[in-house]
Amino acid sequence: MRIAVLQRNIIWGDPAANRHQITETLSRCEKADLYILPEMFSTGFCVRPQEMAESMDSPTLSWLKETAMRLDCALMGSLLIQENNCFYNRLCFVKPDGGITTYDKRHLFTFAGEDKAFTAGTQRVIVTYKGIRILLQICYDLRFPVFSRNNNDYDMAVYVANWPTPRAEAWKILLRARAIENQCYVVGVNRVGRDPFCGYSGDSAILDAYGRTIAACPAEKECEAYATLTTEELEKLRRKFPALDDRDDFSLL
């Protein structure tokens, strides 16, 4: 599966402008099976959702479906969603046929007050696409390895983020750790630029199961990074060094 990460500067609070910007970017991107966008890619990271929330029948969701069908690809990124009088930081995985799989962020960022305005998700979500099982995760989830523990049920973990520059080293180290401990590919897609509150360095990367960088975006720059991933290398590693067989048994939920 050919994947592309889109490290973008998000225009604050303007879904239409962000959709336009991403459409232009996709028009010059290399062909990929899956394009991955940052967290809250249509608005920027906002903890006052009443000001910016979208619905599941919003123009942004329609745009995701239309773009996936037009380009014959999958698209994923998180949105600020209002549903049933609740607000969610919702990661949407849209397939070429328009089908959507969603994951609601479980670990809300209490440091910024996300927990006061949003409802936390309760489900661990894995979607299969092009033969690769993908664990859906959002930003702060990266700090909680128990939730992402690989039970031999996924091949790639994707973290979409608005991860601030002062904690950039933690971002890079934790992405590597999640790849190594779970013997999986890890993809981290972070934004660049500034919102009204802080700056973001990007440092988006695609890592193999040894924690090695396959492809990456430079800091502080809008760019795309690409990689072709297969399950053969993962299976070879897991047969050669079956550490996942010795994982601890536990029940999280």
Side-chain angles (χ1 to χ4, degrees):
M1 179 171 67
R2 182 76 168 164
I3 70 169
V5 302
L6 276 61
Q7 181 168 286
R8 312 309 307 157
N9 183 7
I10 301 169
I11 301 165
W12 180 252
D14 194 336
N18 285 304
R19 294 194 301 270
H20 177 74
Q21 174 181 264
I22 297 166
T23 298
E24 287 195 333
T25 299
L26 289 170
S27 71
R28 61 177 184 269
C29 280
E30 297 177 16
K31 175 63 177 173
D33 299 303
L34 170 62
Y35 296 93
I36 308 173
L37 304 168
E39 179 184 20
M40 292 196 190
F41 69 86
S42 67
T43 58
F45 183 76
C46 175
V47 295
R48 298 180 180 86
Q50 298 86 350
E51 301 170 6
M52 299 186 188
E54 301 179 69
S55 69
M56 289 301 289
D57 60 358
S58 70
T60 300
L61 265 295
S62 296
W63 171 84
L64 281 170
K65 294 178 184 179
E66 292 164 2
T67 303
M69 288 187 280
R70 177 171 56 85
L71 298 180
D72 189 29
C73 68
L75 287 167
M76 65 181 294
S78 95
L79 297 166
L80 198 171
I81 294 293
Q82 182 175 11
E83 186 175 70
N84 299 324
N85 297 317
C86 294
F87 297 101
Y88 299 93
N89 186 343
R90 178 166 292 173
L91 181 52
C92 297
F93 189 106
V94 183
K95 293 184 177 180
D97 63 1
I100 300 179
T101 300
T102 64
Y103 160 69
D104 294 331
K105 186 178 183 182
R106 175 171 171 79
H107 297 96
L108 300 177
F109 192 42
T110 57
F111 185 76
E114 188 180 17
D115 60 310
K116 294 179 174 61
F118 288 78
T119 298
T122 59
Q123 301 297 315
R124 184 173 182 270
V125 178
I126 295 168
V127 60
T128 299
Y129 182 64
K130 297 287 183 179
I132 293 182
R133 301 167 298 170
I134 305 167
L135 177 70
L136 308 185
Q137 300 275 272
I138 302 175
C139 202
Y140 195 41
D141 286 331
L142 181 61
R143 290 184 176 270
F144 301 93
V146 172
F147 186 59
S148 64
R149 185 59 171 159
N150 194 347
N151 297 313
N152 277 324
D153 56 357
Y154 70 86
D155 308 302
M156 178 171 74
V158 176
Y159 294 87
V160 302
N162 277 210
W163 193 285
T165 301
R167 295 184 287 278
E169 286 305 308
W171 164 257
K172 290 181 277 190
I173 291 168
L174 290 171
L175 287 174
R176 292 183 64 201
R178 297 296 87 81
I180 294 166
E181 71 194 8
N182 291 304
Q183 295 190 318
C184 69
Y185 294 114
V186 165
V187 181
V189 185
N190 192 26
R191 68 161 292 178
V192 291
R194 294 194 62 86
D195 62 21
F197 309 102
C198 57
Y200 305 88
S201 61
D203 298 300
S204 302
I206 303 168
L207 308 176
D208 71 11
Y210 293 94
R212 300 175 302 201
T213 301
I214 301 172
C217 293
E220 311 291 349
K221 181 181 178 181
E222 287 190 309
C223 74
E224 298 80 49
Y226 304 88
T228 299
L229 309 181
T230 68
T231 57
E232 285 78 10
E233 287 299 315
L234 290 179
E235 292 165 357
K236 181 179 177 181
L237 166 61
R238 292 168 180 173
R239 287 194 302 268
K240 181 179 179 181
F241 185 64
L244 290 177
D245 292 346
D246 298 323
R247 64 189 182 278
D248 296 311
D249 291 326
F250 58 84
S251 177
L252 179 63
L253 299 175

